[in-house]
PDB file of all heavy atoms in Angstrom:
ATOM      1  N   HIS K   1     152.889  72.968 171.067  1.00  0.00           N
ATOM      2  CA  HIS K   1     151.707  72.364 170.432  1.00  0.00           C
ATOM      3  C   HIS K   1     150.406  72.888 171.091  1.00  0.00           C
ATOM      4  O   HIS K   1     149.401  73.064 170.380  1.00  0.00           O
ATOM      5  CB  HIS K   1     151.692  70.881 170.539  1.00  0.00           C
ATOM      6  CG  HIS K   1     152.734  70.203 169.603  1.00  0.00           C
ATOM      7  ND1 HIS K   1     153.034  68.900 169.651  1.00  0.00           N
ATOM      8  CD2 HIS K   1     153.530  70.769 168.638  1.00  0.00           C
ATOM      9  CE1 HIS K   1     153.931  68.614 168.719  1.00  0.00           C
ATOM     10  NE2 HIS K   1     154.264  69.727 168.150  1.00  0.00           N
ATOM     11  N   LEU K   2     150.444  73.131 172.412  1.00  0.00           N
ATOM     12  CA  LEU K   2     149.221  73.462 173.078  1.00  0.00           C
ATOM     13  C   LEU K   2     149.067  74.944 173.437  1.00  0.00           C
ATOM     14  O   LEU K   2     147.959  75.388 173.822  1.00  0.00           O
ATOM     15  CB  LEU K   2     149.161  72.659 174.427  1.00  0.00           C
ATOM     16  CG  LEU K   2     149.205  71.147 174.322  1.00  0.00           C
ATOM     17  CD1 LEU K   2     149.305  70.505 175.708  1.00  0.00           C
ATOM     18  CD2 LEU K   2     148.038  70.623 173.545  1.00  0.00           C
ATOM     19  N   GLY K   3     150.117  75.714 173.354  1.00  0.00           N
ATOM     20  CA  GLY K   3     150.082  77.108 173.785  1.00  0.00           C
ATOM     21  C   GLY K   3     149.159  78.015 172.999  1.00  0.00           C
ATOM     22  O   GLY K   3     148.960  79.163 173.359  1.00  0.00           O
ATOM     23  N   GLN K   4     148.610  77.473 171.904  1.00  0.00           N
ATOM     24  CA  GLN K   4     147.662  78.309 171.148  1.00  0.00           C
ATOM     25  C   GLN K   4     146.349  78.416 171.878  1.00  0.00           C
ATOM     26  O   GLN K   4     145.521  79.289 171.554  1.00  0.00           O
ATOM     27  CB  GLN K   4     147.446  77.680 169.771  1.00  0.00           C
ATOM     28  CG  GLN K   4     146.946  76.220 169.831  1.00  0.00           C
ATOM     29  CD  GLN K   4     146.858  75.574 168.489  1.00  0.00           C
ATOM     30  OE1 GLN K   4     146.044  75.986 167.670  1.00  0.00           O
ATOM     31  NE2 GLN K   4     147.711  74.595 168.229  1.00  0.00           N
ATOM     32  N   HIS K   5     146.108  77.595 172.876  1.00  0.00           N
ATOM     33  CA  HIS K   5     144.856  77.689 173.640  1.00  0.00           C
ATOM     34  C   HIS K   5     145.003  78.852 174.605  1.00  0.00           C
ATOM     35  O   HIS K   5     145.972  79.022 175.286  1.00  0.00           O
ATOM     36  CB  HIS K   5     144.601  76.397 174.425  1.00  0.00           C
ATOM     37  CG  HIS K   5     143.205  76.277 174.995  1.00  0.00           C
ATOM     38  ND1 HIS K   5     142.842  76.969 176.114  1.00  0.00           N
ATOM     39  CD2 HIS K   5     142.103  75.605 174.559  1.00  0.00           C
ATOM     40  CE1 HIS K   5     141.594  76.736 176.392  1.00  0.00           C
ATOM     41  NE2 HIS K   5     141.102  75.898 175.461  1.00  0.00           N
ATOM     42  N   PRO K   6     143.921  79.720 174.721  1.00  0.00           N
ATOM     43  CA  PRO K   6     144.036  80.874 175.588  1.00  0.00           C
ATOM     44  C   PRO K   6     144.200  80.566 177.111  1.00  0.00           C
ATOM     45  O   PRO K   6     144.459  81.457 177.904  1.00  0.00           O
ATOM     46  CB  PRO K   6     142.702  81.611 175.324  1.00  0.00           C
ATOM     47  CG  PRO K   6     141.759  80.566 174.785  1.00  0.00           C
ATOM     48  CD  PRO K   6     142.650  79.615 174.010  1.00  0.00           C
ATOM     49  N   GLN K   7     143.941  79.295 177.491  1.00  0.00           N
ATOM     50  CA  GLN K   7     144.073  78.916 178.934  1.00  0.00           C
ATOM     51  C   GLN K   7     145.257  78.011 179.169  1.00  0.00           C
ATOM     52  O   GLN K   7     145.287  77.283 180.148  1.00  0.00           O
ATOM     53  CB  GLN K   7     142.765  78.310 179.432  1.00  0.00           C
ATOM     54  CG  GLN K   7     141.629  79.317 179.556  1.00  0.00           C
ATOM     55  CD  GLN K   7     140.313  78.646 179.724  1.00  0.00           C
ATOM     56  OE1 GLN K   7     139.540  78.369 178.776  1.00  0.00           O
ATOM     57  NE2 GLN K   7     139.968  78.310 180.960  1.00  0.00           N
ATOM     58  N   ILE K   8     146.201  78.095 178.262  1.00  0.00           N
ATOM     59  CA  ILE K   8     147.497  77.388 178.417  1.00  0.00           C
ATOM     60  C   ILE K   8     148.594  78.377 178.060  1.00  0.00           C
ATOM     61  O   ILE K   8     148.543  79.044 177.029  1.00  0.00           O
ATOM     62  CB  ILE K   8     147.573  76.141 177.500  1.00  0.00           C
ATOM     63  CG1 ILE K   8     146.488  75.143 177.860  1.00  0.00           C
ATOM     64  CG2 ILE K   8     148.967  75.494 177.574  1.00  0.00           C
ATOM     65  CD1 ILE K   8     146.437  73.950 176.925  1.00  0.00           C
ATOM     66  N   PRO K   9     149.647  78.490 178.896  1.00  0.00           N
ATOM     67  CA  PRO K   9     150.705  79.476 178.607  1.00  0.00           C
ATOM     68  C   PRO K   9     151.418  79.189 177.264  1.00  0.00           C
ATOM     69  O   PRO K   9     151.649  78.045 176.928  1.00  0.00           O
ATOM     70  CB  PRO K   9     151.703  79.280 179.781  1.00  0.00           C
ATOM     71  CG  PRO K   9     150.924  78.599 180.833  1.00  0.00           C
ATOM     72  CD  PRO K   9     149.877  77.764 180.163  1.00  0.00           C
ATOM     73  N   ALA K  10     151.632  80.246 176.557  1.00  0.00           N
ATOM     74  CA  ALA K  10     152.293  80.143 175.238  1.00  0.00           C
ATOM     75  C   ALA K  10     153.835  80.004 175.410  1.00  0.00           C
ATOM     76  O   ALA K  10     154.414  80.535 176.337  1.00  0.00           O
ATOM     77  CB  ALA K  10     152.022  81.335 174.384  1.00  0.00           C
ATOM     78  N   LEU K  11     154.453  79.156 174.560  1.00  0.00           N
ATOM     79  CA  LEU K  11     155.869  78.977 174.555  1.00  0.00           C
ATOM     80  C   LEU K  11     156.489  80.133 173.737  1.00  0.00           C
ATOM     81  O   LEU K  11     156.109  80.300 172.592  1.00  0.00           O
ATOM     82  CB  LEU K  11     156.277  77.644 173.980  1.00  0.00           C
ATOM     83  CG  LEU K  11     157.776  77.391 173.891  1.00  0.00           C
ATOM     84  CD1 LEU K  11     158.416  77.235 175.260  1.00  0.00           C
ATOM     85  CD2 LEU K  11     158.056  76.137 173.055  1.00  0.00           C
ATOM     86  N   LEU K  12     157.371  80.890 174.364  1.00  0.00           N
ATOM     87  CA  LEU K  12     157.993  82.035 173.682  1.00  0.00           C
ATOM     88  C   LEU K  12     159.354  81.658 173.096  1.00  0.00           C
ATOM     89  O   LEU K  12     159.757  82.202 172.059  1.00  0.00           O
ATOM     90  CB  LEU K  12     158.162  83.189 174.616  1.00  0.00           C
ATOM     91  CG  LEU K  12     156.828  83.713 175.327  1.00  0.00           C
ATOM     92  CD1 LEU K  12     157.115  84.846 176.271  1.00  0.00           C
ATOM     93  CD2 LEU K  12     155.798  84.085 174.259  1.00  0.00           C
ATOM     94  N   SER K  13     160.100  80.812 173.749  1.00  0.00           N
ATOM     95  CA  SER K  13     161.411  80.456 173.262  1.00  0.00           C
ATOM     96  C   SER K  13     161.905  79.154 173.970  1.00  0.00           C
ATOM     97  O   SER K  13     161.501  78.840 175.083  1.00  0.00           O
ATOM     98  CB  SER K  13     162.398  81.562 173.589  1.00  0.00           C
ATOM     99  OG  SER K  13     163.718  81.226 173.099  1.00  0.00           O
ATOM    100  N   TYR K  14     162.737  78.426 173.248  1.00  0.00           N
ATOM    101  CA  TYR K  14     163.437  77.250 173.808  1.00  0.00           C
ATOM    102  C   TYR K  14     164.856  77.282 173.324  1.00  0.00           C
ATOM    103  O   TYR K  14     165.096  77.323 172.123  1.00  0.00           O
ATOM    104  CB  TYR K  14     162.697  75.960 173.351  1.00  0.00           C
ATOM    105  CG  TYR K  14     163.279  74.685 173.861  1.00  0.00           C
ATOM    106  CD1 TYR K  14     163.372  74.433 175.200  1.00  0.00           C
ATOM    107  CD2 TYR K  14     163.758  73.717 172.962  1.00  0.00           C
ATOM    108  CE1 TYR K  14     163.936  73.267 175.680  1.00  0.00           C
ATOM    109  CE2 TYR K  14     164.269  72.533 173.394  1.00  0.00           C
ATOM    110  CZ  TYR K  14     164.394  72.320 174.784  1.00  0.00           C
ATOM    111  OH  TYR K  14     164.927  71.153 175.219  1.00  0.00           O
ATOM    112  N   CYS K  15     165.817  77.271 174.275  1.00  0.00           N
ATOM    113  CA  CYS K  15     167.203  77.484 173.815  1.00  0.00           C
ATOM    114  C   CYS K  15     168.183  76.873 174.821  1.00  0.00           C
ATOM    115  O   CYS K  15     167.812  76.448 175.866  1.00  0.00           O
ATOM    116  CB  CYS K  15     167.473  78.974 173.633  1.00  0.00           C
ATOM    117  SG  CYS K  15     167.433  79.895 175.191  1.00  0.00           S
ATOM    118  N   THR K  16     169.424  76.882 174.417  1.00  0.00           N
ATOM    119  CA  THR K  16     170.566  76.438 175.249  1.00  0.00           C
ATOM    120  C   THR K  16     171.541  77.619 175.312  1.00  0.00           C
ATOM    121  O   THR K  16     171.870  78.228 174.299  1.00  0.00           O
ATOM    122  CB  THR K  16     171.303  75.224 174.715  1.00  0.00           C
ATOM    123  OG1 THR K  16     170.337  74.141 174.601  1.00  0.00           O
ATOM    124  CG2 THR K  16     172.448  74.817 175.630  1.00  0.00           C
ATOM    125  N   GLN K  17     171.976  77.952 176.528  1.00  0.00           N
ATOM    126  CA  GLN K  17     172.946  79.022 176.754  1.00  0.00           C
ATOM    127  C   GLN K  17     173.847  78.610 177.881  1.00  0.00           C
ATOM    128  O   GLN K  17     173.376  78.161 178.957  1.00  0.00           O
ATOM    129  CB  GLN K  17     172.232  80.339 177.009  1.00  0.00           C
ATOM    130  CG  GLN K  17     173.181  81.534 177.132  1.00  0.00           C
ATOM    131  CD  GLN K  17     172.412  82.839 177.115  1.00  0.00           C
ATOM    132  OE1 GLN K  17     171.693  83.184 176.112  1.00  0.00           O
ATOM    133  NE2 GLN K  17     172.510  83.613 178.197  1.00  0.00           N
ATOM    134  N   ASP K  18     175.164  78.766 177.724  1.00  0.00           N
ATOM    135  CA  ASP K  18     176.189  78.413 178.716  1.00  0.00           C
ATOM    136  C   ASP K  18     175.997  76.956 179.171  1.00  0.00           C
ATOM    137  O   ASP K  18     176.040  76.639 180.382  1.00  0.00           O
ATOM    138  CB  ASP K  18     176.078  79.305 179.914  1.00  0.00           C
ATOM    139  CG  ASP K  18     176.435  80.785 179.575  1.00  0.00           C
ATOM    140  OD1 ASP K  18     177.259  80.969 178.658  1.00  0.00           O
ATOM    141  OD2 ASP K  18     175.844  81.675 180.171  1.00  0.00           O
ATOM    142  N   ASP K  19     175.747  76.083 178.185  1.00  0.00           N
ATOM    143  CA  ASP K  19     175.548  74.627 178.460  1.00  0.00           C
ATOM    144  C   ASP K  19     174.371  74.296 179.354  1.00  0.00           C
ATOM    145  O   ASP K  19     174.326  73.242 179.930  1.00  0.00           O
ATOM    146  CB  ASP K  19     176.845  74.040 179.028  1.00  0.00           C
ATOM    147  CG  ASP K  19     178.034  74.124 178.073  1.00  0.00           C
ATOM    148  OD1 ASP K  19     177.799  73.962 176.830  1.00  0.00           O
ATOM    149  OD2 ASP K  19     179.146  74.359 178.559  1.00  0.00           O
ATOM    150  N   ARG K  20     173.432  75.223 179.470  1.00  0.00           N
ATOM    151  CA  ARG K  20     172.194  74.940 180.223  1.00  0.00           C
ATOM    152  C   ARG K  20     170.975  75.179 179.337  1.00  0.00           C
ATOM    153  O   ARG K  20     170.982  76.122 178.523  1.00  0.00           O
ATOM    154  CB  ARG K  20     172.126  75.845 181.476  1.00  0.00           C
ATOM    155  CG  ARG K  20     173.042  75.358 182.615  1.00  0.00           C
ATOM    156  CD  ARG K  20     172.866  76.197 183.882  1.00  0.00           C
ATOM    157  NE  ARG K  20     173.567  77.493 183.671  1.00  0.00           N
ATOM    158  CZ  ARG K  20     174.856  77.703 183.992  1.00  0.00           C
ATOM    159  NH1 ARG K  20     175.581  76.741 184.465  1.00  0.00           N
ATOM    160  NH2 ARG K  20     175.393  78.931 183.849  1.00  0.00           N
ATOM    161  N   GLN K  21     169.937  74.377 179.518  1.00  0.00           N
ATOM    162  CA  GLN K  21     168.739  74.470 178.708  1.00  0.00           C
ATOM    163  C   GLN K  21     167.691  75.424 179.387  1.00  0.00           C
ATOM    164  O   GLN K  21     167.573  75.409 180.641  1.00  0.00           O
ATOM    165  CB  GLN K  21     168.121  73.086 178.522  1.00  0.00           C
ATOM    166  CG  GLN K  21     168.888  72.170 177.673  1.00  0.00           C
ATOM    167  CD  GLN K  21     168.302  70.758 177.661  1.00  0.00           C
ATOM    168  OE1 GLN K  21     168.380  70.045 178.646  1.00  0.00           O
ATOM    169  NE2 GLN K  21     167.679  70.378 176.552  1.00  0.00           N
ATOM    170  N   TYR K  22     167.029  76.140 178.543  1.00  0.00           N
ATOM    171  CA  TYR K  22     165.990  77.086 178.984  1.00  0.00           C
ATOM    172  C   TYR K  22     164.748  77.000 178.128  1.00  0.00           C
ATOM    173  O   TYR K  22     164.844  76.769 176.943  1.00  0.00           O
ATOM    174  CB  TYR K  22     166.503  78.499 178.944  1.00  0.00           C
ATOM    175  CG  TYR K  22     167.703  78.816 179.877  1.00  0.00           C
ATOM    176  CD1 TYR K  22     169.000  78.648 179.408  1.00  0.00           C
ATOM    177  CD2 TYR K  22     167.480  79.229 181.166  1.00  0.00           C
ATOM    178  CE1 TYR K  22     170.111  78.951 180.204  1.00  0.00           C
ATOM    179  CE2 TYR K  22     168.616  79.497 182.004  1.00  0.00           C
ATOM    180  CZ  TYR K  22     169.900  79.368 181.489  1.00  0.00           C
ATOM    181  OH  TYR K  22     170.965  79.638 182.341  1.00  0.00           O
ATOM    182  N   LEU K  23     163.641  77.275 178.754  1.00  0.00           N
ATOM    183  CA  LEU K  23     162.437  77.597 177.998  1.00  0.00           C
ATOM    184  C   LEU K  23     161.846  78.861 178.546  1.00  0.00           C
ATOM    185  O   LEU K  23     161.938  79.130 179.794  1.00  0.00           O
ATOM    186  CB  LEU K  23     161.456  76.441 177.930  1.00  0.00           C
ATOM    187  CG  LEU K  23     160.743  75.872 179.163  1.00  0.00           C
ATOM    188  CD1 LEU K  23     159.559  76.770 179.540  1.00  0.00           C
ATOM    189  CD2 LEU K  23     160.271  74.473 178.912  1.00  0.00           C
ATOM    190  N   VAL K  24     161.219  79.652 177.687  1.00  0.00           N
ATOM    191  CA  VAL K  24     160.595  80.921 178.089  1.00  0.00           C
ATOM    192  C   VAL K  24     159.131  80.834 177.733  1.00  0.00           C
ATOM    193  O   VAL K  24     158.830  80.494 176.618  1.00  0.00           O
ATOM    194  CB  VAL K  24     161.259  82.127 177.427  1.00  0.00           C
ATOM    195  CG1 VAL K  24     160.642  83.459 177.955  1.00  0.00           C
ATOM    196  CG2 VAL K  24     162.773  82.130 177.621  1.00  0.00           C
ATOM    197  N   GLN K  25     158.316  81.107 178.715  1.00  0.00           N
ATOM    198  CA  GLN K  25     156.883  80.997 178.434  1.00  0.00           C
ATOM    199  C   GLN K  25     156.127  82.218 178.942  1.00  0.00           C
ATOM    200  O   GLN K  25     156.662  83.078 179.697  1.00  0.00           O
ATOM    201  CB  GLN K  25     156.290  79.733 179.058  1.00  0.00           C
ATOM    202  CG  GLN K  25     156.318  79.727 180.553  1.00  0.00           C
ATOM    203  CD  GLN K  25     155.797  78.432 181.170  1.00  0.00           C
ATOM    204  OE1 GLN K  25     156.371  77.381 180.878  1.00  0.00           O
ATOM    205  NE2 GLN K  25     154.757  78.499 181.972  1.00  0.00           N
ATOM    206  N   GLU K  26     154.879  82.377 178.473  1.00  0.00           N
ATOM    207  CA  GLU K  26     154.008  83.466 178.855  1.00  0.00           C
ATOM    208  C   GLU K  26     153.806  83.437 180.389  1.00  0.00           C
ATOM    209  O   GLU K  26     153.670  82.437 181.016  1.00  0.00           O
ATOM    210  CB  GLU K  26     152.657  83.246 178.158  1.00  0.00           C
ATOM    211  CG  GLU K  26     151.557  84.247 178.554  1.00  0.00           C
ATOM    212  CD  GLU K  26     150.212  83.858 177.970  1.00  0.00           C
ATOM    213  OE1 GLU K  26     150.140  82.769 177.362  1.00  0.00           O
ATOM    214  OE2 GLU K  26     149.307  84.603 178.136  1.00  0.00           O
ATOM    215  N   PHE K  27     153.856  84.673 180.976  1.00  0.00           N
ATOM    216  CA  PHE K  27     153.598  84.807 182.374  1.00  0.00           C
ATOM    217  C   PHE K  27     152.122  84.966 182.654  1.00  0.00           C
ATOM    218  O   PHE K  27     151.428  85.807 181.988  1.00  0.00           O
ATOM    219  CB  PHE K  27     154.344  86.052 182.933  1.00  0.00           C
ATOM    220  CG  PHE K  27     154.007  86.366 184.327  1.00  0.00           C
ATOM    221  CD1 PHE K  27     154.383  85.577 185.382  1.00  0.00           C
ATOM    222  CD2 PHE K  27     153.333  87.562 184.662  1.00  0.00           C
ATOM    223  CE1 PHE K  27     154.096  85.902 186.694  1.00  0.00           C
ATOM    224  CE2 PHE K  27     153.039  87.909 185.963  1.00  0.00           C
ATOM    225  CZ  PHE K  27     153.443  87.035 186.987  1.00  0.00           C
ATOM    226  N   ILE K  28     151.592  84.184 183.556  1.00  0.00           N
ATOM    227  CA  ILE K  28     150.175  84.247 183.947  1.00  0.00           C
ATOM    228  C   ILE K  28     150.050  84.951 185.283  1.00  0.00           C
ATOM    229  O   ILE K  28     150.478  84.371 186.283  1.00  0.00           O
ATOM    230  CB  ILE K  28     149.499  82.883 184.008  1.00  0.00           C
ATOM    231  CG1 ILE K  28     149.736  82.074 182.686  1.00  0.00           C
ATOM    232  CG2 ILE K  28     148.029  82.975 184.306  1.00  0.00           C
ATOM    233  CD1 ILE K  28     149.148  82.759 181.426  1.00  0.00           C
ATOM    234  N   ASN K  29     149.584  86.130 185.325  1.00  0.00           N
ATOM    235  CA  ASN K  29     149.520  86.918 186.518  1.00  0.00           C
ATOM    236  C   ASN K  29     148.208  86.608 187.309  1.00  0.00           C
ATOM    237  O   ASN K  29     147.072  86.825 186.839  1.00  0.00           O
ATOM    238  CB  ASN K  29     149.519  88.415 186.194  1.00  0.00           C
ATOM    239  CG  ASN K  29     149.622  89.288 187.447  1.00  0.00           C
ATOM    240  OD1 ASN K  29     150.063  88.775 188.490  1.00  0.00           O
ATOM    241  ND2 ASN K  29     149.250  90.490 187.385  1.00  0.00           N
ATOM    242  N   GLY K  30     148.317  86.045 188.476  1.00  0.00           N
ATOM    243  CA  GLY K  30     147.189  85.698 189.313  1.00  0.00           C
ATOM    244  C   GLY K  30     147.595  84.671 190.369  1.00  0.00           C
ATOM    245  O   GLY K  30     148.729  84.190 190.419  1.00  0.00           O
ATOM    246  N   LEU K  31     146.593  84.360 191.255  1.00  0.00           N
ATOM    247  CA  LEU K  31     146.827  83.403 192.235  1.00  0.00           C
ATOM    248  C   LEU K  31     146.504  82.000 191.773  1.00  0.00           C
ATOM    249  O   LEU K  31     145.567  81.798 190.967  1.00  0.00           O
ATOM    250  CB  LEU K  31     145.941  83.657 193.444  1.00  0.00           C
ATOM    251  CG  LEU K  31     146.095  85.023 194.216  1.00  0.00           C
ATOM    252  CD1 LEU K  31     145.090  85.085 195.348  1.00  0.00           C
ATOM    253  CD2 LEU K  31     147.492  85.099 194.805  1.00  0.00           C
TER     254      LEU K  31
END
């Protein structure tokens, strides 16, 4: 819902694999 804002990481994927849950999001490079 919030990842459309340029200062919030975007959600790229949300899935289950090998009975474990994962989410993939935008990488923010910086300190």
Side-chain angles (χ1 to χ4, degrees):
H1 289 171
L2 302 174
Q4 57 186 292
H5 192 283
Q7 289 167 266
I8 297 174
L11 177 68
L12 304 179
S13 181
Y14 179 60
C15 65
T16 300
Q17 184 168 298
D18 297 328
D19 296 323
R20 283 183 285 271
Q21 292 173 286
Y22 296 91
L23 65 81
V24 184
Q25 67 185 56
E26 175 188 5
F27 172 68
I28 307 299
N29 187 23
L31 297 178

